[in-house]
Amino acid sequence: PDVRNWETEPLAEDVVITGSVWANLFASTSGSDSDWVVKLIDVYPDEYPKEPRMGGYQLMMTNDVFRGRFRNSFERPQPVTPNKVESYKIDLHQMNHRFLKGHKIMVQVQSTWFPVIDRNPQKYVENIFKAKEADYIKATQRVFRSQQYPSHVILPVRSK
């Protein structure tokens, strides 16, 4: 329940991505800090005769974790205002990949990826590595998709 998914219909033709991939996320947290994890995934068809074990497999192509405290500056972290919609521009790095006809393109957003990365207390503390048990709080994260807050991923699709 803590991972939000969006996916295309099965692709009618191959889609080639080559270049910089960016996620522009409009999101809020009830805490004063939050991590935002964005993943771009190649989803295999449920039935995949070439290699049946791969049917429905979700192959992560690129990802990154962005700590909310750094949304305005990496040099001067600052707390997030609870429940305020903020803009997060997340670099998903360079990518060269062909999403094959019949596959789907999926985007996942979540706010934790423990134990892959350390836990964020969801509360702003000066040094997250020195957070005390009492600093860890429950928080609600929301991702917005509207005309006013158009969360989206920029994919550099190569034309034919």
Side-chain angles (χ1 to χ4, degrees), residues 104-120:
K104 297 177 186 178
I105 300 172
M106 177 189 280
V107 175
Q108 286 185 343
V109 178
Q110 59 201 71
S111 72
T112 185
W113 206 3
F114 183 81
V116 176
I117 64 158
D118 60 315
R119 289 175 37 214
N120 186 318

Side-chain angles (χ1 to χ4, degrees), residues 32-33 67 69 118-137:
S32 53
D33 196 10
R67 199 146 267 170
R69 65 180 50 227
D118 60 315
R119 289 175 37 214
N120 186 318
Q122 309 303 322
K123 173 182 168 185
Y124 183 86
V125 293
E126 287 298 321
N127 184 336
I128 202 164
F129 301 107
K130 294 182 180 179
K132 296 173 179 50
E133 187 175 335
D135 293 326
Y136 288 85
I137 62 170

Side-chain angles (χ1 to χ4, degrees), residues 7-158:
E7 68 181 17
T8 65
E9 293 296 321
L11 298 172
E13 58 185 39
D14 290 1
V15 174
V16 177
I17 306 298
T18 182
S20 296
V21 178
W22 286 88
N24 290 329
L25 200 63
F26 290 89
S28 69
T29 178
S30 62
S32 53
D33 196 10
S34 180
D35 289 345
W36 298 101
V37 181
V38 180
K39 303 175 192 173
L40 184 66
I41 298 169
D42 184 339
V43 181
Y44 282 65
D46 289 336
E47 301 294 323
Y48 198 69
K50 290 182 202 173
E51 203 171 336
R53 294 182 322 185
M54 295 299 287
Y57 188 75
Q58 297 177 4
L59 178 62
M60 185 167 48
M61 301 311 308
T62 188
N63 66 81
D64 205 355
V65 180
F66 189 85
R67 199 146 267 170
R69 65 180 50 227
F70 299 116
R71 70 200 176 286
N72 297 320
S73 166
F74 287 109
E75 292 79 24
R76 289 182 288 287
Q78 56 188 214
V80 174
T81 302
N83 300 311
K84 179 182 176 195
V85 179
E86 296 276 2
S87 174
Y88 300 93
K89 300 203 181 316
I90 303 170
D91 184 355
L92 297 179
H93 316 292
Q94 296 284 316
M95 185 177 139
N96 291 296
H97 180 70
R98 180 183 302 270
F99 292 89
L100 298 177
K101 178 182 176 178
H103 288 223
K104 297 177 186 178
I105 300 172
M106 177 189 280
V107 175
Q108 286 185 343
V109 178
Q110 59 201 71
S111 72
T112 185
W113 206 3
F114 183 81
V116 176
I117 64 158
D118 60 315
R119 289 175 37 214
N120 186 318
Q122 309 303 322
K123 173 182 168 185
Y124 183 86
V125 293
E126 287 298 321
N127 184 336
I128 202 164
F129 301 107
K130 294 182 180 179
K132 296 173 179 50
E133 187 175 335
D135 293 326
Y136 288 85
I137 62 170
K138 183 177 180 179
T140 299
Q141 275 61 273
R142 289 187 171 90
V143 176
F144 294 81
R145 281 186 347 138
S146 66
Q147 189 170 0
Q148 184 179 5
Y149 301 118
S151 292
H152 61 281
V153 175
I154 298 172
L155 297 176
V157 177
R158 188 177 78 197

